[in-house]
Amino acid sequence: MDGRVIPAEALVRTVTVRPESCTIYYAADTFSVAETFLIPINESGAYIKLDTETEQPLDVEAVFQRDFQLEWPAGLGGTYLNWDKTLHAFYFGEEQKKFAAVVGSPTAGEVSTGIRNELFRVA
């Protein structure tokens, strides 16, 4: 915000846990964000929703660590990671195509990938 990066963990105000979801509420002087996690019991995958309220323009940077390995003694072999501009998402998986994931947002852009972290900005 205003050229400043504010780590989310410094702004946590409340955590609400329900049987179907968990919501972390972040607040500062001029904005608030409600981050809701939903993991369906009978489905693979997760859904994370960010609801923002702000008085000024606010960019949200989503950073994640891609740890796409099974526990020993299983192994996946090589893994891949790519950014799809059309999907506004990273897609990654392993070379046999048995396991894959998509991480993105309809408004995601400004992508960077690194050895340890992947980043996309949501406007």
Side-chain angles (χ1 to χ4, degrees):
M1 179 171 214
D2 294 328
R4 295 179 305 144
V5 175
I6 305 169
E9 58 268 13
L11 302 173
V12 174
R13 300 299 180 249
T14 62
V15 177
T16 304
V17 179
R18 297 181 186 91
E20 74 280 0
S21 66
C22 174
T23 301
I24 303 172
Y25 183 75
Y26 307 92
D29 293 339
T30 59
F31 69 90
S32 65
V33 177
E35 179 181 33
T36 301
F37 298 86
L38 175 66
I39 296 107
I41 294 172
N42 298 321
E43 302 287 334
S44 58
Y47 176 77
I48 303 170
K49 181 181 179 186
L50 300 173
D51 289 316
T52 60
E53 290 186 23
T54 181
E55 296 174 6
Q56 303 172 25
L58 177 70
D59 287 331
V60 175
E61 291 182 353
V63 179
F64 65 95
Q65 292 183 352
R66 175 178 50 109
D67 183 5
F68 209 65
Q69 296 296 324
L70 296 177
E71 290 185 21
W72 184 87
L76 293 175
T79 61
Y80 62 88
L81 168 77
N82 295 300
W83 174 257
D84 186 313
K85 289 181 183 180
T86 309
L87 289 176
H88 299 271
F90 286 104
Y91 62 95
F92 51 98
E94 47 79 35
E95 61 190 23
Q96 295 180 9
K97 309 279 193 245
K98 290 182 182 177
F99 304 99
V102 177
V103 177
S105 168
T107 61
E110 286 193 49
V111 176
S112 71
T113 61
I115 294 172
R116 297 185 184 263
N117 295 317
E118 320 310 331
L119 162 76
F120 60 92
R121 187 166 280 139
V122 181

